[in-house]
Amino acid sequence: MHIALLQVFPLLTVGLLVPLWHRPRLGLAGIATVMAWACAFVYAAYCTGLDAVAGIAAGTAVEHVGETASIGPVKRPLYDTGEALGQAGAYALIGAITATAVALFPKCGTRIVPGTVVLLAAGWSFVDSHIFWPCGVWTMLGFALGFALLAWGTGKSAPPAKPASLPAAKRAITGLEGDCHHRIVA
């Protein structure tokens, strides 16, 4: 199962990367975007490491231990290494969520707060629950809800933000028009 899911878990960050697609720009939002991308990469690499070491390697090693041998000394170091990789990846995911919120807030405002809160809660749960029943399953459902709320907060169905009355040309130059996937009207 770990081999089949090896390419799936890194995709968890797609829900953060899609809203940041047309960034970075200069300023805090641009720096936060680059940080979100970097943290998403670290999550993807370390989560893959977790599955490779604790799932694939430990399973293979235990499968090939002789019937009379103790499996503890064989699997424990692999599980410990995998757990350390998984926690580092989970913390990187929390960093990516936080950086995404910082990058999106100036343009999308409070509409991203519900999704961010749900994603942060799921991220903290992910540190020690991974995907294991029951908490891990609820964590994954939390990620799904959080990404849906974040997409709503940056999408066309969200109510448009109204910036201070700026002329259309100035809004276009400053990048205030067309961000968050909808047209901002004065």
Side-chain angles (χ1 to χ4, degrees), residues 125-126 128-143:
S125 177
F126 192 57
D128 62 1
S129 69
H130 194 49
I131 63 165
F132 302 113
W133 176 261
C135 191
V137 173
W138 290 108
T139 297
M140 291 298 115
L141 292 172
F143 277 127

Side-chain angles (χ1 to χ4, degrees), residues 45-134:
Y46 280 70
C47 183
T48 301
L50 160 67
D51 285 338
V53 173
I56 299 168
T60 303
V62 168
E63 185 178 302
H64 290 89
V65 170
E67 290 182 26
T68 60
S70 173
I71 61 172
V74 172
K75 72 175 184 174
R76 180 56 38 210
L78 295 170
Y79 282 171
D80 291 345
T81 300
E83 184 174 334
L85 291 170
Q87 285 189 340
Y91 288 125
L93 182 57
I94 292 167
I97 293 165
T98 304
T100 298
V102 170
L104 293 175
F105 190 81
K107 301 294 181 187
C108 301
T110 58
R111 293 184 313 268
I112 63 155
V113 172
T116 300
V117 169
V118 172
L119 287 171
L120 286 171
W124 282 111
S125 177
F126 192 57
V127 169
D128 62 1
S129 69
H130 194 49
I131 63 165
F132 302 113
W133 176 261

Side-chain angles (χ1 to χ4, degrees), residues 17 20 23-25 27-41 95-96 99-100 103:
L17 299 178
L20 299 174
R23 298 186 193 314
R25 296 203 172 111
L28 179 61
I31 293 168
T33 297
V34 172
M35 289 300 299
W37 291 346
C39 288
F41 173 79
T100 298

